[in-house]
Amino acid sequence: MINATTQLYCIFGKPVSHSKSPLIHNALLTHYGINGAYLAFEIDLIRDGIKAMKTLDIKGASVTIPFKTDILDELDEISTDALEMGAVNTVVNRNGKLYGYNTDCMAAIRPLKTYGIEGKSFAVLGAGGAAQALIYGIKKEGGRVIIINRTKKRGENLAEKFNCDFLGLENLKELDSLPADVVINTTSVGMHPNTRNTPISPELLTPSMIVMDVVYTPVNTQLLKDARLKGCETIDGLSMFLHQGAAQFKLWTDINPDITIMRQAAENGET
Ligand code: ATR
């Protein structure tokens, strides 16, 4: 029941209509009997979202493309690891002060750990907030990273920050295959509604590679389809999405949520 004491949670992004965050968080709020509601807000400037959180006393927010890095300047406090990553995907409102955290890193590194990270090389496609969280986690676990990004300057800056290599899209034309054991897409390429698109030509994949996509709408992206046809092992974005959401819910409510409830909500619900 929504009444005068219902607490509001939300996601800020652009685009945001594809997001399954409202489905998983509303399912959890209901399941744990919390008088709350979670809505999706598509906005142009994250500053406006931050202002709204303070004005309307929104208790918590998820932050997605393209705001994960821009939001750093707008918060009152940022956790040490989110600051080192340079990316925030979670905001907690404590008595009008806004605290930033990153739950993407832990959630993305989790499935990679089962294959081993130390000593392996990772081609990371993209140089935004999701890429930063992943690169931070991979480097911490002893992996090597090659960043591949459309905008050269942005990719080069990130490579310098994290002491990685950089490849521009034009360099890819000269390669037979990507020089990596693991390939990870952190861009929005392939996301609904442009589901035919893929961030990398299938010719650059080889059967020994592990291919991961952070896109989860659809779960079976064109990149992962191409990778499976090549014989690669694949990791889809749904597990990362669920675990980053679970960590958000814990930050907001202090409850460690049941992942199966979240999975059911994400798989059954219409966005
Ligand atoms: P976030 O910080 O939330 O991860 P972002 O800062 O918008 O989002 O970053 C998205 C990444 O996806 C960027 O690296 C972007 O490339 P640019 O640096 O060239 O902008 C990449 N990206 C988005 N759309 C893309 C596309 N159509 N082709 C290639 N890369 C794309």
Side-chain angles (χ1 to χ4, degrees):
M1 180 183 63
I2 290 183
N3 61 17
T5 59
T6 300
Q7 302 204 320
L8 186 57
Y9 300 84
C10 71
I11 180 166
F12 294 122
K14 187 174 183 174
V16 85
S17 59
H18 69 280
S19 175
K20 290 188 188 280
S21 289
L23 291 173
I24 60 168
H25 286 299
N26 283 313
L28 291 176
L29 290 167
T30 304
H31 179 80
Y32 292 105
I34 295 167
N35 185 5
Y38 182 110
L39 297 176
F41 295 127
E42 182 162 318
I43 56 176
D44 289 320
L45 294 172
I46 192 60
R47 188 179 308 138
D48 294 339
I50 290 298
K51 200 167 163 211
M53 282 190 83
K54 293 198 172 184
T55 308
L56 303 175
D57 196 26
I58 296 172
K59 294 296 178 194
S62 312
V63 181
T64 190
I65 278 183
F67 301 128
K68 287 178 184 179
T69 50
D70 289 357
I71 196 171
L72 263 75
D73 296 333
E74 310 295 334
L75 296 164
D76 295 309
E77 284 198 32
I78 299 170
S79 73
T80 310
D81 59 350
L83 204 55
E84 283 175 12
M85 281 174 228
V88 160
N89 77 325
T90 310
V91 184
V92 183
N93 184 346
R94 295 194 185 103
N95 302 318
K97 262 184 105 177
L98 300 187
Y99 295 75
Y101 297 89
N102 190 300
T103 68
D104 279 338
C105 180
M106 165 281 295
I109 292 302
R110 224 174 143 268
L112 291 172
K113 273 187 172 171
T114 59
Y115 295 95
I117 295 177
E118 196 174 355
K120 293 218 171 97
S121 54
F122 294 75
V124 173
L125 315 178
Q132 288 184 219
L134 257 152
I135 294 166
Y136 174 85
I138 292 166
K139 295 285 289 186
K140 223 173 174 180
E141 297 289 328
R144 293 193 308 276
V145 175
I146 304 148
I147 298 168
I148 296 166
N149 196 48
R150 177 180 61 181
T151 306
K152 196 167 176 223
K153 193 77 203 132
R154 197 174 181 196
E156 283 175 344
N157 287 347
L158 198 58
E160 197 179 319
K161 175 176 173 184
F162 286 106
N163 194 18
C164 311
D165 292 323
F166 171 75
L167 273 178
L169 293 184
E170 72 280 4
N171 305 110
L172 296 184
K173 294 185 191 113
E174 297 151 20
L175 297 176
D176 293 330
S177 66
L178 287 177
D181 303 305
V182 185
V183 179
I184 307 174
N185 175 43
T186 73
T187 76
S188 51
V189 179
M191 190 186 281
H192 180 82
N194 303 310
T195 54
R196 289 273 181 89
N197 294 355
T198 178
I200 201 99
S201 159
E203 278 112 67
L204 293 169
L205 303 175
T206 58
S208 63
M209 289 173 179
I210 296 159
V211 179
M212 172 171 168
D213 206 331
V214 306
V215 172
Y216 67 90
T217 50
V219 175
N220 195 13
T221 59
Q222 188 60 48
L223 171 67
L224 296 185
K225 285 183 196 166
D226 292 343
R228 271 184 227 113
L229 275 176
K230 280 271 174 174
C232 306
E233 291 240 29
T234 58
I235 303 171
D236 69 46
L238 190 59
S239 144
M240 174 180 165
F241 169 68
L242 296 175
H243 282 94
Q244 64 79 34
Q248 293 186 324
F249 195 77
K250 165 91 171 133
L251 280 167
W252 295 329
T253 64
D254 215 23
I255 295 168
N256 247 327
D258 183 344
I259 293 277
T260 56
I261 291 165
M262 303 171 78
R263 185 176 290 276
Q264 275 166 13
E267 285 174 350
N268 299 340
E270 295 282 324
T271 47

